[in-house]
Amino acid sequence: MPIAQWLREHVFLFEGSTRSVALLRVLAVCVAWSRLGATLVPDGEMGAMAWATSMVFWASTSLMFVGLFSQPASLAVGLTTWVVYANHGDFGTADLHAHHVLAQALLCCLLSLTPCGRSFSVDRWLQGSRALPERGELWGLRLLQMQLVVLYAGAVWEKSYAGWLSGDRMLQVLMNIYLGSDPTGWLTQVVAVSIAWGTVFAEGGLALAVLFAPSFRSRLGAYLFGCTFHGLVYFLTPVSTFTATMAVWLLVLLPTDDVHRITERLLRPTKGQAPSTKSRQLPFLLGAAVLLLLPIYGRLVPTVPDGSGFMTLGEDVCEVRWPDGPAVAGTRRDVHKKVCGRPDLPSNPAIRCVVEGSWTDTKLTKLCRRLPKTAKRRESAR
Amino acid sequence: MRPWETIGSTRSLGLARIFLGLLTYAEVLAMLRPAHHLQHLDIMALSGIPWLSVPALIVGWHARSAAAVTGITLLALHTWGGMQGLTGAGLPWASVTIWELAITLCVLALTPCGRSFSVDRWLAPEAERAPLWGHALIRVHTSVIFGALAVSHLTPLWWSGERLARMGMARHGVPIEAGPLMSTMAVIWVALELLCCAAPWVARQRLVPIGLGFVLLQYPMLYTGTWSLHAAVLLLLCLDPDSVDRTIQDLSPQR
């Protein structure tokens, strides 16, 4: 078959069910919220551009999630994610300039080129009986698949150097996370080389599966393999949301009509035996009693929260005021970062912090003493 | 009809199962990586369990068992880790967010949450109607959460607006004075918590959307993290399951 004809049939005019791209749409938003939600909550330290990005992000992700103006919303989510990636300094954290954020932006931008609002969406519900069939031109899906191939092929290319293939780079990772700095033996070297080569083969295999896997079974197998591979990386190393992004993105492996068939089967009502009418009064009353007693139990046992929640939220705040300057406020840790070790700031500010529930005046030396290491409250470990 | 006699659609439970599974993944799994617990092999062993049960919960494979195992394991880790004074990578073990999520998962295990939108359904389709006494327990659980919150706010420090002001300062990094505005907000806040406490039982279709707006607004206002989404899922679950079923049917017409 001539290439031009093949491209026409299988790419430019490729049609299929829109349910898989609709699922991608919903799940991509969940990942976006997970990664960027905390960062993009507006606060007093954000500049105007960051505020605007935040507003657009929350509006567009909400629309994308429920499927209202789905394609423009997807584009807006992709663009705001890219803005966060490119201008990470405005959002206060350098780890936003990372591959997993860029991957998220690409996914959403490419989704906007698909009819992702034609299924599982408010767009569809509003159209009522005028709704188009759940089939559409899916050249955008082909772009998603091609980007996936490029992503994995690029990963293989990036790893094709002596430092990786010899296992040395993986050994560094293992020593950094698990083994410490003591010299390692031959067994560890074998494990490192195996993981290094295994990663290359896994990523290469996934790239080839997107292009050449012939059947639904083989593609499903590749999808499950891909999720397991990324899941293992997430389990063993301190990575962020790339695993979740890829678990969503890899859905493009599955043939669209098979996804439609599966969802159809899950949605189709099933006739079955009438539910049992046996009384469940006793288990209900027992369960309700346990649930009602839990907050009281929590107050008696120090290891269990008292059930009311958030009693310590905000109880570590400090406020710093200068006679001729703006005031600084926030958690003790945040104020510490803003004020301590800053010779440019005027001296002798008025400082007060909440200590054991009450505002207490304190001095700069006391505020700026070394803070004990505790888990950072909102730093994501994802 | 009495709560323990209700029979209804299981679709809202299926959707809630998926979202609660995703929430658990987002909130908890990262801190259960073995790299964080190399010094505590007992914790590391226990931490391995949710890595299997949470994916099973999300896809709905042996869904009720997955929910029970995840919830019980989180409670065990919560108590055991707290007793040892451990801190995970991100959130400390004594976190009310994780505690409440664990309780929710244990209660979810008492519902037919695997009967819809699940691998269990793919393998053995059953009618998506079942006794919903477990669903009624989720409504009790929701009321208890908001009721306990409201009770905890019956203090002079709250009514004066001082607590809200401090929470706002911690979140937004700007000085906030406790005054008439904060005090008024504090009163409205408790009223809304009591509304959320009543919403699972009274005028659900009207009160649940108000409660939903309240808990979702808390996310940008305070450091609530996934608690807001968790509370939102619980409130949505309190809607009439058959109404939710009809809405889903409307959204998924035949080809």
Side-chain angles (χ1 to χ4, degrees):
Chain A
M1 182 189 285
I3 291 179
Q5 188 180 346
W6 186 90
L7 283 171
R8 263 176 67 88
E9 280 183 26
H10 294 280
V11 178
F12 304 133
L13 298 180
F14 168 60
E15 273 196 8
S17 169
T18 54
R19 287 191 177 183
S20 60
V21 290
L23 287 173
L24 256 86
R25 186 197 84 232
V26 173
L27 294 172
V29 173
C30 295
V31 180
W33 279 338
S34 172
R35 184 63 190 89
L36 297 176
T39 305
L40 286 176
V41 173
D43 64 41
E45 292 165 16
M46 274 184 172
M49 206 274 291
W51 259 88
T53 308
S54 167
M55 293 295 117
V56 173
F57 174 83
W58 285 108
S60 56
T61 50
S62 303
L63 291 174
M64 189 177 168
F65 182 74
V66 300
L68 185 61
F69 308 118
S70 305
Q71 287 180 254
S74 302
L75 182 63
V77 173
L79 291 176
T80 49
T81 307
W82 183 83
V83 165
V84 171
Y85 168 80
N87 298 303
H88 54 93
D90 291 340
F91 301 93
T93 169
D95 66 348
L96 291 172
H97 191 74
H99 64 286
H100 52 268
V101 180
L102 185 59
Q104 185 66 29
L106 277 171
L107 174 63
C108 294
C109 284
L110 289 171
L111 262 176
S112 71
L113 301 173
T114 66
C116 56
R118 211 180 273 195
S119 297
F120 305 135
S121 64
V122 171
D123 285 339
R124 184 172 187 80
W125 181 63
L126 288 174
Q127 287 169 357
S129 56
R130 296 176 291 112
L132 294 168
E134 289 178 285
R135 281 188 81 76
E137 289 179 1
L138 293 178
W139 55 270
L141 183 71
R142 291 299 192 215
L143 286 177
L144 280 162
Q145 289 170 335
M146 284 315 303
Q147 180 64 73
L148 198 60
V149 172
V150 167
L151 200 148
Y152 282 121
V156 171
W157 175 257
E158 285 284 308
K159 292 182 173 81
S160 300
Y161 69 103
W164 181 271
L165 297 175
S166 66
D168 284 348
R169 185 70 187 93
M170 183 49 66
L171 188 60
Q172 285 175 347
V173 173
L174 292 174
M175 290 174 79
N176 185 38
I177 300 172
Y178 293 101
L179 305 174
S181 54
D182 289 339
T184 56
W186 64 268
L187 183 62
T188 315
Q189 189 71 34
V190 167
V191 168
V193 171
S194 306
I195 295 174
W197 279 88
T199 309
V200 171
F201 280 121
E203 288 169 341
L206 285 168
L208 292 173
V210 175
L211 289 172
F212 300 119
S215 65
F216 170 66
R217 271 183 184 270
S218 59
R219 286 181 173 269
L220 181 62
Y223 176 74
L224 294 173
F225 173 77
C227 289
T228 307
F229 166 66
H230 285 291
L232 274 173
V233 174
Y234 188 72
F235 177 67
L236 294 171
T237 57
V239 295
S240 186
T241 52
F242 193 68
T243 299
T245 304
M246 297 319 296
V248 172
W249 205 330
L250 280 167
L251 282 171
V252 303
L253 261 171
L254 304 177
T256 56
D257 289 343
D258 287 298
V259 171
H260 192 105
R261 180 173 55 85
I262 292 168
T263 53
E264 193 69 16
R265 181 164 157 174
L266 291 176
L267 287 169
R268 190 171 57 221
T270 308
K271 286 189 190 149
Q273 288 180 332
S276 162
T277 52
K278 188 173 91 172
S279 174
R280 267 78 173 190
Q281 183 178 9
L282 184 59
F284 171 79
L285 290 176
L286 275 175
V290 169
L291 289 170
L292 284 163
L293 289 172
L294 272 174
I296 301 170
Y297 172 72
R299 288 188 182 275
L300 304 174
V301 178
T303 57
V304 168
D306 63 8
S308 61
F310 310 113
M311 295 304 285
T312 57
L313 208 58
E315 292 302 294
D316 63 343
V317 294
C318 288
E319 191 182 69
V320 182
R321 290 182 184 269
W322 290 274
D324 300 321
V328 171
T331 63
R332 189 182 180 119
R333 188 171 287 276
D334 291 340
V335 170
H336 190 275
K337 268 192 260 182
K338 287 181 218 175
V339 166
C340 301
R342 296 270 315 270
D344 57 308
L345 291 173
S347 55
N348 297 329
I351 306 174
R352 59 176 191 154
C353 293
V354 173
V355 178
E356 292 181 359
S358 304
W359 285 106
T360 308
D361 289 332
T362 188
K363 296 199 183 316
L364 197 65
T365 46
K366 206 166 176 192
L367 174 70
C368 294
R369 72 174 180 218
R370 196 181 173 89
L371 288 175
K373 274 194 177 177
T374 56
K376 290 180 194 173
R377 183 180 27 227
R378 288 186 64 233
E379 180 181 320
S380 169
R382 313 190 220 298
Chain B
M1 191 175 275
R2 297 192 178 96
W4 54 84
E5 293 171 350
T6 315
I7 290 174
S9 168
T10 58
R11 286 186 167 183
S12 58
L13 287 165
L15 288 174
R17 185 201 81 240
I18 294 169
F19 280 112
L20 288 170
L22 291 173
L23 268 182
T24 310
Y25 164 44
E27 183 67 32
V28 166
L29 282 191
M31 78 170 81
L32 300 183
R33 289 180 175 126
H36 299 308
H37 308 293
L38 295 175
Q39 310 301 323
H40 299 91
L41 293 180
D42 47 355
I43 297 279
M44 192 159 76
L46 210 51
S47 299
I49 297 173
W51 286 95
L52 298 171
S53 61
V54 170
L57 180 68
I58 293 171
V59 302
W61 185 59
H62 296 292
R64 295 177 70 164
S65 305
V69 166
T70 309
I72 291 169
T73 307
L74 289 181
L75 288 176
L77 281 168
H78 198 293
T79 309
W80 199 342
M83 286 167 71
Q84 297 193 39
L86 295 179
T87 53
L91 288 174
W93 288 102
S95 157
V96 70
T97 306
I98 297 175
W99 167 256
E100 287 176 358
L101 190 57
I103 303 283
T104 301
L105 292 172
C106 290
V107 180
L108 191 70
L110 300 173
T111 68
C113 58
R115 217 183 259 212
S116 297
F117 309 123
S118 62
V119 170
D120 290 342
R121 177 168 179 73
W122 176 262
L123 295 173
E126 289 182 278
E128 287 176 293
R129 288 190 75 75
L132 295 182
W133 64 274
H135 179 264
L137 278 179
I138 288 181
R139 289 158 66 189
V140 172
H141 175 51
T142 307
S143 290
V144 166
I145 286 176
F146 285 104
L149 267 173
V151 166
S152 76
H153 292 151
L154 299 177
T155 61
L157 202 62
W158 181 269
W159 296 122
S160 65
E162 179 65 30
R163 283 278 295 128
L164 261 184
R166 290 176 190 175
M167 290 197 284
M169 283 172 69
R171 177 65 191 88
H172 298 285
V174 294
I176 299 176
E177 300 290 339
L181 176 63
M182 284 291 135
S183 186
T184 308
M185 277 181 64
V187 171
I188 295 172
W189 199 283
V190 173
L192 286 169
E193 284 170 344
L194 291 171
L195 183 146
C196 290
C197 180
W201 307 102
V202 175
R204 283 187 274 178
Q205 309 294 102
R206 277 200 294 266
L207 296 188
V208 164
I210 300 172
L212 203 59
F214 171 54
V215 299
L216 290 177
L217 264 178
Q218 287 188 39
Y219 183 74
M221 291 172 70
L222 305 175
Y223 273 127
T224 53
T226 56
W227 183 89
S228 288
L229 267 181
H230 176 208
V233 170
L234 285 176
L235 281 170
L236 284 169
L237 253 184
C238 293
L239 290 171
D240 174 40
D242 288 338
S243 301
V244 174
D245 188 288
R246 281 192 293 275
T247 305
I248 293 172
Q249 288 286 4
D250 288 343
L251 285 171
S252 53
Q254 300 300 309
R255 206 199 293 208

